[in-house]
Amino acid sequence: MKFCLKSVLNLMTGAVFVLVFSLTGIAVAAPAPVITVQAPLVNGIVTPLKSAVDANGDIYVADPRSGGVVVLDQYGVLKQRMGLPASARGLALINPNGNISGGKVLVGQETSVVVLDANGVEISRLGSGAVFGKVTSIAVDGSGNIYVADAGTLTIKKFSSAGGFIKEFGSGLFFQPVSLAVAAMPSGDQIAVVDIIKSNVQFFDTNGNYLKTIGTKGTFASLVFNYPVAVTFEYKGGVLSRMYVLDLFEGRFQAIDPINPTVQGTTLLGNYGTDATSLLTPVDIVFDQVNSRLLVANGNSNLVSYGIDGGGNPVNLTPPTLTIAQSAMTVNQPSVVLNGTTDAGCSITAAANTTAKAGVASFPSSTSWMLSVNNLVVGANTISISARNQFGATITKSVLVTYQPPANSLTVNAYPTLTSQAAIQLSGTTDAGSSVAVTNAATGITGNASVIGNQWYITLTLVEGPNSISFGASKAGTATAHQDISIALDTKAPALVVSLPANGSSTANQVLGLSGMASDQSSFNVTVNGDTVPVTNGQFNTSVVLKIGANVVRVMAVDAVSNQSEITRTINFAPDFPVITVRSPADGAITNKQDVTVDGSVNGGVTVKVNSVSAAVDAITGAWSAPVKLSAGLNTIEIMATDVYGQTAVVQRTITYDGVAPQVTITSPSQNIAVNNPGLTISGKVVDTAGIASITATVNGVSQAVQVSGDTFSLFAEFIAERAYTIAITVTDTAGNSTTALRTVVYDVTAPLLKVGTVSQSSTKVSGTVELGATVEVRDATGKTAKVTINGTDWVADLSGGSYDLNTLTAYAVDAAGNTSVAKISFQSRPNYVYTIKDALLVLNLVVSGKTPTEQQLNFYDVGPLLNGNRNPDGRLDIIDAILILRSALGLTSWK
């Protein structure tokens, strides 16, 4: 071993190690672990000494040269650095809530143990130089009690979860205690203490009583250590399974049954070396329960990762962030420089939907990127930018770049947007020598303007209503300049309907009620005898006080270009004529009932007609009533009363009949969707001719606030628990008609169920089950995907016709809400089989007879065709396989 053992020992005696477990159960002897070497974790790590993993899989590394404690997420991406005034030689986690939020980080610093919060801020200390001689390790049991190995006093000190000193034990039993870990044994928690000088692991109960010793110094073999420096424990289903002891001198570790170490024996794992995945002066080992992997703090400035029984480094499917600084843009040259930001470590590529060519991206900083795009075509070029992170996840966004060569100049002089003149002269400027084409989309006519110098002129004919007019100025060598305007021609007077008695009618009511409707394509106002009256939704209602005798009532509607409509009536006010009182309906009322009753009273001896139909009049009270069937829209009801002298008085009432319910459209979200966000904005539009009286909303029957702006509405629906939520929007118009629109949203944050069957390496199909409605994708680390067929909850992936990296082939399931599950596809390894001539004859028989081989036969005999002298199964048996097996049976070179 080419390292300074003394230097490493000095580091180790200042280092702290911890694993926190609160698991119970009956330990069952486990077989030797199946181990796969994973990619090492290197981000932010310089001198890793000790490490710990929390319940989320986040990794905490004591790293003196990084200034304290380095925190990585489970994918190995740097999340945080906790700076410390003194070198951090180790750490422990107290996280009662299942994550570090609300928990604590314990850091050993020579003669003290510092207690940090989740942000790395010191909140307390367990002791000072007067308490500890030299802190070497920390551990926390399932009850929260804290244990500190003190190499200065060669003892273990026990503290309560609050930091109060309880007792000291182990005096006289240690030469150099360098590491602690807690094992959840069937009988209760036990404290495992690694002694690097005695080369053993001693076990104590939580009261400090000695229980047993595992290991001794000697030739490296089962249960024999040279310089053990760390121990960690593995649990399966909450039950203690294995312990792992790391040997610094040999650069390897052993997997041991902690219950019956002499029965199961041990397995020697790891490999000494200087490459990235070998162990060089390893100083710590920790088991990651979240991802079933061992992490070894290594002298190569990394954490070497070992997958245990199918575990390993997790795959991060979360796409990176990507921003593009430019929005849709227009350039006057055939190239453009785009820039933006992405996550550190991402690669950036670009492609265009035209013949434009994107260059290689450069990175001014770790998170900013820049690239140029050349050979833009004239017009629109869609440039797609893709960011890919170290896990293979990608995100793509696009920017629309419009290449427009230097354009001709074009201006349009001031013009009216609304006019009553059918012929209008327009003018403006352009570059000398240009031609100006003018098109009126309303007429479909295009004409050329007269151009004198840089001035152009044209007289244009308009049609009633909006006229969309386009101008194009062209000149050789430049791009055509464009400009669009809109001019509305309004030659028609406003439409005007007024509810007034016939000209020359008489009334005994001095206050004359007056209602009406008006409309025009432009703005307008309504006056009655010169006084402006308010207009709402095209309707107006007012009254005129009459004088005895003839009264002229003039109603006028004048629009923005002085077109006007006028209705004039002469009404006689004769107080001695019959007095008509109308109780209902109210003048200007709006109703959704087609049949109404008009009633009121008159003075005695008077007959009444309603819309020329006689009404019953009570001879004593003068009360009268009559039914009226309304038509859609504005209705004028005329009440005529005639006394015994033949004197006739008239009054009118207007009422609007609206039997059509409002139209309600929920524009977002679409119907029957699933989401994994705890809230969603619901928005939509409302259309109604009579006007909206109210908009209300409920979410599963609970009222919600609604925001209304013009004809649009929105509300925020909050989702508490996983279930279906029904959003109801109810709109009521001024006539009392109501409409309710419904939308159902399913809140789902549970990852879809996904199972994968175990298959042989020669299989061409992989199958499994998935949650109903979820999609399945099967791909390897290179991004190559297999064709997947789903039938109900069963799925099958076809691997034929392609070469896949079987070690990284993984299944991914995504449900309707976007939740994702990942399942590693395990392939049974080909057996180490000695072939005979009988095997070759069996394959020949299968090939000649055309029989379908069994899965076991395919796994045993599908060896070719060879690739670089190695087996290269193609998922079928043929004559090549038979020849290769025959060569192997005869002792000839067949494959490496």
Side-chain angles (χ1 to χ4, degrees):
M1 296 293 291
K2 298 180 180 179
F3 62 91
C4 178
L5 183 60
K6 179 178 180 181
S7 299
V8 175
L9 290 178
N10 288 336
L11 287 174
M12 290 303 304
T13 55
V16 183
F17 168 77
V18 68
L19 258 179
V20 181
F21 290 107
S22 59
L23 307 172
T24 58
I26 299 175
V28 178
V34 177
I35 184 169
T36 56
V37 180
Q38 307 288 302
L41 308 184
V42 298
N43 286 342
I45 300 175
V46 181
T47 53
L49 289 181
K50 294 296 179 178
S51 56
V53 181
D54 69 12
N56 291 326
D58 286 351
I59 306 162
Y60 295 72
V61 182
D63 191 335
R65 291 191 180 178
S66 288
V69 177
V70 176
V71 185
L72 311 177
D73 66 14
Q74 61 178 319
Y75 309 107
V77 176
L78 181 65
K79 291 181 62 176
Q80 182 184 6
R81 291 183 190 272
M82 297 180 178
L84 294 169
S87 295
R89 303 282 179 162
L91 59 123
L93 305 179
I94 303 177
N95 48 342
N97 298 323
N99 54 59
I100 196 60
S101 176
K104 301 172 184 176
V105 182
L106 306 177
V107 181
Q109 293 186 318
E110 293 293 335
T111 59
S112 66
V113 175
V114 180
V115 183
L116 308 177
D117 64 14
N119 296 316
V121 177
E122 181 177 335
I123 54 179
S124 64
R125 295 197 174 205
L126 290 187
S128 64
V131 177
F132 301 110
K134 190 172 187 179
V135 174
T136 59
S137 186
I138 311 170
V140 182
D141 67 18
S143 300
N145 296 312
I146 303 168
Y147 302 84
V148 180
D150 189 339
T153 61
L154 301 181
T155 60
I156 308 299
K157 294 180 172 62
K158 179 179 179 180
F159 297 82
S160 68
S161 59
F165 178 73
I166 297 176
K167 66 185 304 182
E168 182 179 85
F169 61 88
S171 178
L173 298 179
F174 309 120
F175 281 172
Q176 192 65 269
V178 295
S179 180
L180 295 178
V182 175
M185 295 289 188
S187 58
D189 286 354
Q190 293 184 13
I191 314 303
V193 183
V194 177
D195 192 317
I196 192 171
I197 303 301
K198 282 192 171 184
S199 296
N200 62 21
V201 182
Q202 300 181 46
F203 287 79
F204 300 82
D205 63 22
T206 56
N207 291 320
N209 298 312
Y210 171 80
L211 299 175
K212 65 180 179 182
T213 296
I214 293 178
T216 184
K217 191 173 183 65
T219 303
F220 194 75
S222 298
L223 299 181
V224 175
F225 313 126
N226 273 321
Y227 289 98
V229 290
V231 63
T232 188
F233 294 91
E234 175 189 358
Y235 296 80
K236 289 188 179 296
V239 177
L240 183 62
S241 174
R242 303 184 183 102
M243 65 181 285
Y244 298 87
V245 178
L246 178 67
D247 195 302
L248 180 147
F249 186 83
E250 295 293 340
R252 292 194 289 183
F253 56 90
Q254 296 189 53
I256 303 170
D257 181 346
I259 306 299
N260 301 298
T262 58
V263 174
Q264 182 192 10
T266 66
T267 301
L268 305 180
L269 303 167
N271 180 56
Y272 171 75
T274 58
D275 60 277
T277 58
S278 295
L279 300 181
L280 177 68
T281 63
V283 293
D284 185 37
I285 188 169
V286 61
F287 193 86
D288 176 5
Q289 290 290 148
V290 176
N291 298 294
S292 191
R293 59 179 172 173
L294 278 168
L295 300 173
V296 179
N298 196 25
N300 282 326
S301 296
N302 61 10
L303 295 181
V304 181
S305 175
Y306 299 93
I308 302 299
D309 297 339
N313 295 341
V315 178
N316 187 352
L317 298 178
T318 303
T321 59
L322 173 65
T323 67
I324 305 176
Q326 294 78 12
S327 57
M329 58 188 300
T330 300
V331 296
N332 59 6
Q333 56 186 9
S335 63
V336 66
V337 175
L338 303 176
N339 60 83
T341 63
T342 188
D343 295 342
C346 285
S347 61
I348 293 290
T349 56
N353 68 334
T354 64
T355 56
K357 300 296 182 182
V360 177
S362 61
F363 294 86
S365 72
S366 61
T367 59
S368 62
W369 58 268
M370 178 183 299
L371 60 80
S372 61
V373 181
N374 301 312
N375 300 327
L376 295 170
V377 301
V378 175
N381 298 258
T382 299
I383 313 299
S384 298
I385 310 294
S386 298
R388 180 185 179 94
N389 66 16
Q390 58 185 314
F391 308 109
T394 62
I395 184 173
T396 300
K397 294 185 178 181
S398 62
V399 57
L400 179 65
V401 179
T402 302
Y403 169 39
Q404 199 172 66
N408 197 352
S409 68
L410 174 66
T411 66
V412 179
N413 293 334
Y415 61 92
T417 57
L418 180 67
T419 182
S420 59
Q421 304 299 314
I424 185 171
Q425 188 178 67
L426 300 173
S427 63
T429 63
T430 185
D431 290 347
S434 299
S435 63
V436 177
V438 183
T439 301
N440 186 349
T443 62
I445 298 174
T446 299
N448 290 319
S450 298
V451 181
I452 302 174
N454 68 340
Q455 303 288 322
W456 62 264
Y457 308 87
I458 191 171
T459 299
L460 203 64
T461 300
L462 306 177
V463 296
E464 193 73 19
N467 291 256
S468 296
I469 303 167
S470 299
F471 303 88
S474 302
K475 183 180 179 180
T478 64
T480 300
H482 295 278
Q483 189 164 339
D484 297 323
I485 66 172
S486 179
I487 301 176
L489 174 64
D490 185 2
T491 63
K492 296 180 179 180
L496 180 62
V497 178
V498 180
S499 174
L500 278 172
N503 195 44
S505 298
S506 299
T507 180
N509 298 80
Q510 186 172 17
V511 178
L512 175 69
L514 183 151
S515 297
M517 299 182 69
S519 62
D520 193 79
Q521 66 167 303
S522 63
S523 61
F524 63 90
N525 64 71
V526 175
T527 62
V528 176
N529 288 349
D531 295 327
T532 301
V533 297
V535 180
T536 304
N537 292 328
Q539 300 185 23
F540 58 91
N541 183 278
T542 188
S543 60
V544 176
V545 179
L546 304 177
K547 64 181 180 179
I548 296 176
N551 293 261
V552 176
V553 179
R554 180 179 288 109
V555 182
M556 295 184 66
V558 182
D559 66 17
V561 288
S562 300
N563 299 308
Q564 67 180 42
S565 297
E566 179 181 333
I567 295 176
T568 301
R569 296 283 191 275
T570 298
I571 308 297
N572 294 309
F573 173 41
D576 57 339
F577 275 39
V579 177
I580 304 172
T581 302
V582 181
R583 186 173 65 250
S584 67
D587 197 25
I590 302 175
T591 181
N592 61 2
K593 307 295 183 184
Q594 187 173 17
D595 295 307
V596 298
T597 298
V598 182
D599 59 16
S601 62
V602 295
N603 46 338
V606 174
T607 61
V608 175
K609 289 185 178 181
V610 177
N611 285 351
S612 300
V613 178
S614 296
V617 181
D618 188 288
I620 299 175
T621 64
W624 59 267
S625 66
V628 175
K629 183 177 287 294
L630 303 176
S631 300
L634 183 68
N635 293 259
T636 299
I637 303 172
E638 184 178 75
I639 302 99
M640 180 182 296
T642 305
D643 63 13
V644 294
Y645 304 105
Q647 300 179 119
T648 299
V650 178
V651 298
Q652 289 183 327
R653 286 292 183 268
T654 59
I655 183 170
T656 300
Y657 168 49
D658 177 13
V660 180
Q663 297 179 19
V664 184
T665 304
I666 297 178
T667 56
S668 177
S670 59
Q671 180 61 294
N672 301 324
I673 67 167
V675 299
N676 55 13
N677 293 320
L680 187 68
T681 297
I682 315 297
S683 58
K685 289 189 173 184
V686 179
V687 177
D688 190 81
T689 57
I692 303 302
S694 66
I695 300 179
T696 60
T698 62
V699 177
N700 279 2
V702 179
S703 296
Q704 299 290 317
V706 181
Q707 304 296 322
V708 181
S709 176
D711 61 351
T712 63
F713 65 86
S714 65
L715 68 132
F716 185 76
E718 185 177 3
F719 309 136
I720 305 301
E722 289 184 286
R723 57 178 297 186
Y725 291 82
T726 299
I727 297 97
I729 313 294
T730 300
V731 180
T732 305
D733 65 15
T734 54
N737 302 299
S738 292
T739 300
T740 299
L742 301 176
R743 189 65 86 238
T744 299
V745 177
V746 176
Y747 177 46
D748 177 13
V749 295
T750 302
L753 296 175
L754 175 65
K755 293 184 178 180
V756 179
T758 301
V759 293
S760 66
Q761 289 183 335
S762 59
S763 295
T764 59
K765 294 185 183 299
V766 178
S767 61
T769 58
V770 69
E771 181 179 294
L772 190 64
T775 61
V776 175
E777 182 181 48
V778 173
R779 67 173 185 266
D780 62 15
T782 68
K784 187 171 185 179
T785 60
K787 181 181 179 181
V788 177
T789 303
I790 300 178
N791 183 10
T793 60
D794 297 323
W795 63 269
V796 177
D798 186 358
L799 305 181
S800 61
S803 178
Y804 299 87
D805 180 2
L806 301 185
N807 292 325
T808 63
L809 200 62
T810 306
Y812 306 88
V814 181
D815 63 18
N819 302 302
T820 303
S821 293
V822 181
K824 183 74 171 61
I825 298 175
S826 300
F827 289 85
Q828 293 177 341
S829 60
R830 184 183 301 276
N832 186 14
Y833 189 75
V834 178
Y835 294 100
T836 66
I837 294 178
K838 183 178 179 181
D839 294 316
L841 293 175
L842 174 61
V843 175
L844 281 173
N845 181 56
L846 289 171
V847 173
V848 173
S849 66
K851 293 181 179 179
T852 302
T854 65
E855 187 73 20
Q856 184 180 35
Q857 289 172 333
L858 198 62
N859 191 33
F860 271 57
Y861 300 132
D862 182 16
V863 294
L866 301 183
L867 179 63
N868 297 326
N870 294 292
R871 286 172 170 164
N872 180 38
D874 59 1
R876 62 192 181 92
L877 296 183
D878 54 24
I879 193 65
I880 294 177
D881 299 305
I883 293 173
L884 291 172
I885 292 171
L886 181 59
R887 287 179 60 85
S888 177
L890 295 175
L892 303 175
T893 300
S894 190
W895 56 79
K896 296 178 183 177

